[in-house]
Amino acid sequence: GESVGLHLPTLSVQEGDNSIINCAYSNSASDYFIWYKQESGKGPQFIIDIRSNMDKRQGQRVTVLLNKTVKHLSLQIAATQPGDSAVYFCAEITNYGQNFVFGPGTRLSVLP
Amino acid sequence: NAGVTQTPKFQVLKTGQSMTLQCAQDMNHNSMYWYRQDPGMGLRLIYYSASEGTTDKGEVPNGYNVSRLNKREFSLRLESAAPSQTSVYFCASSEQGWAEAFFGQGTRLTVV
């Protein structure tokens, strides 16, 4: 069935370094992907999205890359800051846009 | 502008008790969702409502019922709570199924 997963459940990076969080998806028919950030005790918050007709999209300090050939999605955070510490989820939009399928999440810890 | 509001924030139930989780959004969104979040499992879709008057099952609907009361409100009901339903529940809404979803702060439910 459909599934979205992450290669690394935890990631620790030094403050100021770049972070890369990976995600694999299995439904080749999916055409929309979103990265969410979830801080402790809060609901997920939208970071950035990308449609399948693109392979890269940039936001403020974040870049999402999409490789449809290998069904892989990544989130790059430049100059990681303590405030970036959170769990990051990728979401795959399926079922003609009516269903968000989330991966299990990657915890990002920023070391001083 | 409150976004997505969930009540209550915390609840403890005894096995067999019933309760309704409330969700309201003030963004005039068409689509609304209920997710549960368990450690290591990510977010799993319970039910969704693509538009007012419609509801559909998600990945884990057993033991739950929903009501899309109007465009603003989408409630989740547990008729006979079980310990396996101990989880954090998130409500979300989006303008359309393929647009970013906005999440509430979550309801932490414990069933003893």
Side-chain angles (χ1 to χ4, degrees):
Chain A
E2 304 160 354
S3 67
V4 176
L6 293 169
H7 297 307
L8 297 173
T10 61
L11 178 65
S12 296
V13 297
Q14 290 292 140
E15 182 178 353
D17 287 351
N18 297 334
S19 303
I20 300 176
I21 301 171
N22 296 303
C23 178
Y25 64 95
S26 61
N27 188 346
S28 57
S30 295
D31 60 3
Y32 183 50
F33 305 88
I34 302 177
W35 280 101
Y36 283 90
K37 173 185 180 182
Q38 186 177 24
E39 297 174 283
S40 182
K42 297 183 179 180
Q45 289 181 293
F46 173 91
I47 301 173
I48 192 168
D49 60 357
I50 189 167
R51 296 198 178 276
S52 60
N53 60 353
M54 304 170 68
D55 53 20
K56 180 179 180 179
R57 190 161 189 226
Q58 288 185 291
Q60 188 178 11
R61 282 200 308 117
V62 295
T63 301
V64 56
L65 299 177
L66 176 63
N67 185 330
K68 294 181 288 294
T69 302
V70 295
K71 291 184 284 189
H72 183 267
L73 193 68
S74 69
L75 177 70
Q76 300 179 0
I77 304 173
T80 311
Q81 301 169 1
D84 295 327
S85 292
V87 176
Y88 290 81
F89 296 93
C90 62
E92 172 185 14
I93 313 308
T94 66
N95 193 21
Y96 303 103
Q98 300 305 336
N99 190 1
F100 286 71
V101 177
F102 286 86
T106 293
R107 181 173 299 280
L108 177 64
S109 295
V110 181
L111 307 174
Chain B
N1 189 342
V4 179
T5 303
Q6 291 181 234
T7 56
K9 289 186 169 54
F10 301 93
Q11 184 70 50
V12 179
L13 290 177
K14 293 182 178 179
T15 297
Q17 286 186 315
S18 62
M19 80 160 295
T20 299
L21 281 63
Q22 306 289 349
C23 176
Q25 52 92 8
D26 60 6
M27 295 172 282
N28 202 37
H29 284 167
N30 289 305
S31 301
M32 297 187 73
Y33 311 82
W34 274 106
Y35 287 90
R36 60 178 289 173
Q37 185 175 36
D38 302 297
M41 297 292 290
L43 288 151
R44 291 185 293 170
L45 183 67
I46 304 171
Y47 271 93
Y48 64 94
S49 172
S51 61
E52 185 179 354
T54 68
T55 61
D56 287 283
K57 294 179 180 179
E59 181 185 356
V60 289
N62 291 344
Y64 306 95
N65 286 300
V66 291
S67 295
R68 183 74 183 267
L69 304 171
N70 46 56
K71 192 171 186 179
R72 288 187 65 248
E73 299 172 288
F74 188 39
S75 63
L76 179 71
R77 183 161 179 83
L78 286 71
E79 289 292 350
S80 179
S84 61
Q85 293 179 304
T86 294
S87 188
V88 180
Y89 291 85
F90 286 99
C91 177
S93 71
S94 65
E95 184 176 334
Q96 299 288 347
W98 40 260
E100 80 175 89
F102 292 81
F103 284 80
Q105 293 296 296
T107 296
R108 185 173 294 276
L109 176 67
T110 302
V111 182
V112 298

